[in-house]
Amino acid sequence: TVKVKLSQPFSRYFKDATSYDFGLGTLSSTVVSGTGLAAKVQLALPATSGTFTSKIFDTTASSSFGTLGRIVTTPPGTTLSVKARSSNDPAMTGAPAFSTCAALTGGQDLSGGCVTDGHRYLQYELSLSTADPSVTPTLDDVTLNYDSTTTLSDSSDANFAIKSPKLTITQQPATATAGVVVSPSITV
């Protein structure tokens, strides 16, 4: 038996940037305009305020949350804010209400406030408003960055821990069966 430990940084992100991505969220006085990569979330004019709540993202493991990336257009007299929250529950039970969360800016670390490192699930909400019902702010895309440590293993006793850029192979002594030496093997 050979034990293999594979360790490597595991940076990931969630990105909403298409009509399909945005279609998985909940719209309130907002619409998704455009198709494919040309999709945008905007107010359903003549509404002067509205929200978009994303689907719940599953990081599949305990995670450390990174930065928020976004591409927005805010003409004069309009605002668009992004809030995020996290939970260990897939239905976001126990997560803070968005109304208690502070707005995030592009490049800002998600952790702190309503996002807790070590949680598995993440969700964001957009709040859009305008003083002129003929003009709307738009969101073209949003990116939520995170790092995750995942441990993979199988019944052959090979263990994989993805943590740092390092590969370690530990070979156990070969075994003999009825006088025949069985060579070690790696099972991935």
Side-chain angles (χ1 to χ4, degrees), residues 168-186:
T168 306
I169 299 177
T170 308
Q171 182 174 339
Q172 303 297 321
T175 58
T177 305
V180 177
V181 174
V182 180
S183 63
S185 64
I186 298 174

Side-chain angles (χ1 to χ4, degrees), residues 34-70:
T35 59
L37 290 172
K40 302 173 189 295
V41 175
Q42 63 186 42
L43 286 170
L45 297 175
T48 56
S49 66
T51 60
F52 168 80
T53 305
S54 75
K55 72 176 189 167
I56 298 167
F57 297 98
D58 182 359
T59 66
T60 72
S62 172
S63 298
S64 296
F65 296 100
T67 58
L68 167 74
R70 62 191 179 117

Side-chain angles (χ1 to χ4, degrees), residues 1-142:
T1 301
V2 173
K3 288 188 175 185
V4 177
K5 286 191 176 184
L6 176 64
S7 300
Q8 175 174 324
F10 208 42
S11 295
R12 291 186 163 188
Y13 62 88
F14 294 116
K15 184 175 192 90
D16 275 355
T18 68
S19 52
Y20 176 79
D21 298 333
F22 294 129
L24 298 174
T26 304
L27 301 160
S28 176
S29 297
T30 54
V31 295
V32 176
S33 65
T35 59
L37 290 172
K40 302 173 189 295
V41 175
Q42 63 186 42
L43 286 170
L45 297 175
T48 56
S49 66
T51 60
F52 168 80
T53 305
S54 75
K55 72 176 189 167
I56 298 167
F57 297 98
D58 182 359
T59 66
T60 72
S62 172
S63 298
S64 296
F65 296 100
T67 58
L68 167 74
R70 62 191 179 117
I71 298 175
V72 300
T73 303
T74 51
T78 68
T79 62
L80 188 151
S81 66
V82 182
K83 296 179 177 183
R85 65 184 185 167
S86 66
S87 178
N88 275 324
D89 183 83
M92 299 303 282
T93 302
F98 283 116
S99 61
T100 66
C101 302
L104 301 165
T105 60
Q108 183 176 346
D109 192 332
L110 294 165
S111 299
C114 292
V115 176
T116 303
D117 285 339
H119 281 175
R120 176 175 169 170
Y121 300 94
L122 186 65
Q123 186 178 39
Y124 72 90
E125 180 185 73
L126 305 177
S127 293
L128 299 88
S129 67
T130 185
D132 179 350
S134 67
V135 179
T136 180
T138 60
L139 173 93
D140 293 354
D141 86 25
V142 66

